Amino acid sequence: MYNHDQYGDMLANALVDIKYSLHASSQADPASVDEQISKLAGGVLVSVDGKDGEISYSGSESLNLGGQYTFLVLFPTVTGNEQSVLSALNKAKVLAKEIIKKMMLDYEAGSSLLSELDPTSFEVHGIGPLGDCHHGVALFFVVGENFGFGLNPAMWKA
């Protein structure tokens, strides 16, 4: 089963330009995440959980609950300096592509970490400022959980 925080930590520890790894919930107070990011002076990878998702049916004997997960790739910028913002956005986009490549290699290798990755679900969007003045990209993707149609009798009234 996919563990987003664990995978994010692994990526952050392996990427040269990332100095910090944070975990956030999609239901977290945005101000508390901003406060954490403000204290950091380097590249940051934020793992945002996938509590929200969609159910899909492919015509087989199971359904898929796809959770949308996010990695934020952020770099500090200089307030009022448009060039530093563009540089941070470009650097973050390059790293997002590397993260996608790594995820696809893990998926294609049959890694149990990403066996349920939807390889067609990647999206990259520019974001910022977060924290005092971090800019970068949000990398969205879906990792699903297959489940069958069999009902659990203990959950139903007789």
Side-chain angles (χ1 to χ4, degrees), residues 5-6 17 24 26 31 34 44 64 67 82 87 90 93 97 104 109 120-121 128 134-135 140 150 152:
D5 291 341
Q6 178 184 18
D17 289 331
S26 57
D34 257 5
V44 183
N64 185 286
E82 187 65 28
S87 176
N90 288 333
K93 187 175 180 181
K97 288 186 216 176
M104 287 302 298
T120 67
S121 65
H134 281 68
H135 287 79
F140 301 98
N152 179 348

Side-chain angles (χ1 to χ4, degrees), residues 44-61:
V44 183
L45 181 80
V46 181
S47 305
V48 183
D49 67 32
K51 287 190 171 51
D52 302 323
E54 295 181 4
I55 301 286
S56 62
Y57 173 66
S58 64
S60 65
E61 294 182 12

Side-chain angles (χ1 to χ4, degrees), residues 70-143:
T70 309
F71 286 127
L72 305 179
V73 181
L74 305 168
F75 292 97
T77 62
V78 176
T79 303
N81 183 327
E82 187 65 28
Q83 187 56 44
S84 74
V85 171
L86 290 175
S87 176
L89 288 170
N90 288 333
K91 190 174 188 178
K93 187 175 180 181
V94 168
L95 278 182
K97 288 186 216 176
E98 284 298 305
I99 291 169
I100 292 168
K101 292 178 209 177
K102 171 67 173 144
M103 293 177 75
M104 287 302 298
L105 289 170
D106 287 347
Y107 172 75
E108 297 253 324
S111 166
S112 61
L113 290 174
L114 287 173
S115 61
E116 301 294 332
L117 173 70
D118 177 352
T120 67
S121 65
F122 292 107
E123 291 183 35
V124 176
H125 300 274
I127 56 169
L130 294 175
D132 282 337
C133 206
H134 281 68
H135 287 79
V137 298
L139 168 59
F140 301 98
F141 58 95
V142 173
V143 176

